[in-house]
Amino acid sequence: MLVALTVVVTVAALALAAWCGYAAYRDQPTKDWHFIGMAVVSVLALAQLVVGIVQLGRGEQPEQGKAIFIAYLIGAFAAVPAAGFLSLTERTRWGPVTVAAGAVVLAVLEVRLYDIWGN
């Protein structure tokens, strides 16, 4: 895995979590700017998904197994979009809380992906 990409995705996810957490603290619903932030983080997670699949296609092997690595890649890609979809149904302060939680989950999955790859 590319360490730089993992760090960028993790930092972006934590920044999104802090931003949405602050919006929840201020009693604000999820706004369009939050969805733009979610889109940026999701594109970064998609880039990591593509890089991971390409590395597997080149014959590189994760230390802890292919199946678990692919499952974590897909979960990391889906975490923020799923939280964003849930925040659409909750247009109160709990919408940004949902997005913040999804972003924290993404950050944790990134650390785990790094560990699974064997770095």
Side-chain angles (χ1 to χ4, degrees):
M1 286 288 297
L2 292 174
V3 176
L5 183 58
T6 303
V7 170
V8 168
V9 174
T10 303
V11 169
L14 290 175
L16 178 65
W19 184 26
C20 289
Y22 181 68
Y25 172 75
R26 294 189 54 196
D27 254 349
Q28 296 176 339
T30 310
K31 298 189 177 185
D32 291 342
W33 289 106
H34 296 119
F35 287 103
I36 293 170
M38 285 183 267
V40 169
V41 172
S42 295
V43 166
L44 290 172
L46 176 64
Q48 187 176 38
L49 175 70
V50 169
V51 167
I53 290 173
V54 166
Q55 285 185 324
L56 289 175
R58 288 191 338 209
E60 298 179 37
Q61 295 294 319
E63 190 175 278
Q64 297 182 19
K66 241 188 230 186
I68 194 164
F69 180 72
I70 291 171
Y72 271 88
L73 272 178
I74 293 169
F77 171 67
V80 171
F85 178 73
L86 288 174
S87 76
L88 283 174
T89 62
E90 186 60 51
R91 298 301 285 178
T92 64
R93 73 180 287 185
W94 295 105
V97 170
T98 304
V99 175
V104 169
V105 166
L106 174 59
V108 171
L109 289 174
E110 290 298 316
V111 172
R112 183 68 180 119
L113 274 169
Y114 181 78
D115 185 47
I116 291 170
W117 190 257
N119 292 324

